[in-house]
Amino acid sequence: MTELIDIGVNLTDKRFQHDIEDVINRAKASHIRAMLITGTSLASSRQAIALCQQYPGFLFATTGVHPHDASSMTDIVMEDLASLSKQSCIVAIGETGLDFNRNFSTPEEQITAFEQQIELAKSTQLPLFLHERDATETQVQLLKPHSQQLKGAVLHCFTGDKNALFNYLDLGFYIGITGWICDERRGLPLKSLVKEIPPDRLLLETDAPYLLPRDLAIKPKKGRNEPAFLQHIAMTIAHLRDITVEELSMQTTANTRRLFNI
């Protein structure tokens, strides 16, 4: 079994609160070499840092405010994010971006919070950990003037179309692929698109506890995804790209280390 890095795990989610040590041990047993905990708010970013301190060198984290929570953004929150970004385990700014599908925060609030976090990524020289749903055109327009000043970025949990894919690739960004690609209903467009991602731009993630691969032979009783299933996602992607899992592992691990400096 090959070594992989999971770039997107929501370990601060309450669904992990009772057995997080077991989850981490299963990940290690499944040859997951490292994991990035996604920070989506000040509270979850602080929780992520605390977890990283328990597993140094294995857990890393992002710090940011998700577009759903953009209405909570204030100057004080930005100051706190800037402070958290100095922690050695923090390797990216985000999860940030735009979500015009649900609009839990208004588009205006989302854009303001996003622009502030772009500036934080530039000043800290940490890459951006990006979310985007139904907002490709606006998000690309906001990012384009800054692309040369950013340390890099990844489109986390990419499920967009070919136009979105090439827009982000043109900006020099990386693409994160999840178990969405294992969905025989919603994942079909992504199955064909994954071949179009250059080998040096592809990253792997579970987005656990969400997006459990639908084609797992044995599914967990409560439908909870976890990092140990990244091996299954990798096998699916390797098959679709007509390469070995070993080759995919080498490529994506190198890409992850390059982007996040881990």
Side-chain angles (χ1 to χ4, degrees), residues 77-171:
V77 170
M78 274 308 302
E79 289 173 10
D80 287 346
L81 287 180
S83 178
L84 292 179
S85 72
K86 296 173 183 176
Q87 294 282 333
S88 60
C89 61
I90 295 296
V91 296
I93 301 301
E95 180 177 355
T96 184
L98 304 175
D99 192 315
F100 292 170
N101 178 269
R102 297 185 178 182
N103 284 322
F104 289 148
S105 294
T106 67
E108 293 76 19
E109 289 169 332
Q110 292 183 50
I111 288 169
T112 297
F114 185 33
E115 289 177 329
Q116 289 176 299
Q117 290 175 88
I118 291 173
E119 292 302 322
L120 180 59
K122 286 162 56 178
S123 66
T124 58
Q125 280 298 281
L126 291 172
L128 278 169
F129 194 84
L130 295 169
H131 173 103
E132 186 257 297
R133 195 170 182 192
D134 294 349
T136 301
E137 184 177 352
T138 303
Q139 184 143 312
V140 168
Q141 287 177 349
L142 289 171
L143 286 162
K144 193 172 289 186
H146 307 283
S147 61
Q148 297 302 312
Q149 299 160 278
L150 289 167
K151 193 69 173 177
V154 57
L155 252 296
H156 148 68
C157 189
F158 181 80
T159 57
D161 58 17
K162 189 170 186 176
N163 176 64
L165 175 63
F166 283 96
N167 266 292
Y168 289 119
L169 289 174
D170 286 346
L171 290 174

Side-chain angles (χ1 to χ4, degrees), residues 11 86 107 141 226 251:
L11 280 185
K86 296 173 183 176
Q141 287 177 349
E226 61 177 82
Q251 291 171 352

Side-chain angles (χ1 to χ4, degrees), residues 13-245:
D13 189 279
K14 62 184 180 181
R15 293 171 74 183
F16 288 126
Q17 64 184 347
H18 298 301
D19 66 343
I20 193 162
E21 186 174 347
D22 292 338
V23 170
I24 289 171
N25 286 337
R26 281 193 292 272
K28 289 180 175 180
S30 299
H31 296 267
I32 305 304
R33 178 63 188 84
M35 302 191 295
L36 275 63
I37 308 172
T38 310
T40 57
S41 65
L42 268 182
S44 69
S45 296
R46 290 190 178 110
Q47 288 176 295
I49 290 168
L51 279 172
C52 290
Q53 290 168 345
Q54 294 179 46
Y55 298 89
F58 181 72
L59 293 183
F60 301 88
T62 74
T63 183
V65 173
H66 192 284
H68 289 343
D69 296 318
S71 60
S72 70
M73 184 65 85
T74 64
D75 290 343
I76 293 174
V77 170
M78 274 308 302
E79 289 173 10
D80 287 346
L81 287 180
S83 178
L84 292 179
S85 72
K86 296 173 183 176
Q87 294 282 333
S88 60
C89 61
I90 295 296
V91 296
I93 301 301
E95 180 177 355
T96 184
L98 304 175
D99 192 315
F100 292 170
N101 178 269
R102 297 185 178 182
N103 284 322
F104 289 148
S105 294
T106 67
E108 293 76 19
E109 289 169 332
Q110 292 183 50
I111 288 169
T112 297
F114 185 33
E115 289 177 329
Q116 289 176 299
Q117 290 175 88
I118 291 173
E119 292 302 322
L120 180 59
K122 286 162 56 178
S123 66
T124 58
Q125 280 298 281
L126 291 172
L128 278 169
F129 194 84
L130 295 169
H131 173 103
E132 186 257 297
R133 195 170 182 192
D134 294 349
T136 301
E137 184 177 352
T138 303
Q139 184 143 312
V140 168
Q141 287 177 349
L142 289 171
L143 286 162
K144 193 172 289 186
H146 307 283
S147 61
Q148 297 302 312
Q149 299 160 278
L150 289 167
K151 193 69 173 177
V154 57
L155 252 296
H156 148 68
C157 189
F158 181 80
T159 57
D161 58 17
K162 189 170 186 176
N163 176 64
L165 175 63
F166 283 96
N167 266 292
Y168 289 119
L169 289 174
D170 286 346
L171 290 174
F173 295 170
Y174 292 75
I175 307 297
I177 300 296
T178 66
W180 183 279
I181 203 164
C182 302
D183 190 323
E184 78 284 358
R185 311 158 306 161
R186 300 181 299 175
L188 288 177
L190 191 58
K191 285 179 183 286
S192 59
L193 266 186
V194 76
K195 304 169 190 174
E196 307 283 345
I197 303 172
D200 62 347
R201 301 283 192 85
L202 177 62
L203 303 177
L204 306 180
E205 55 180 321
T206 56
D207 199 32
Y210 313 113
L211 299 181
L212 177 73
R214 277 179 53 86
D215 58 355
L216 279 176
I218 301 175
K219 296 184 176 67
K221 290 181 180 179
K222 294 185 179 180
R224 184 187 71 175
N225 196 10
E226 61 177 82
F229 300 141
L230 190 64
Q231 291 286 352
H232 177 84
I233 296 168
M235 286 189 286
T236 301
I237 295 171
H239 175 73
L240 291 167
R241 288 172 69 86
D242 196 26
I243 60 174
T244 65
V245 178

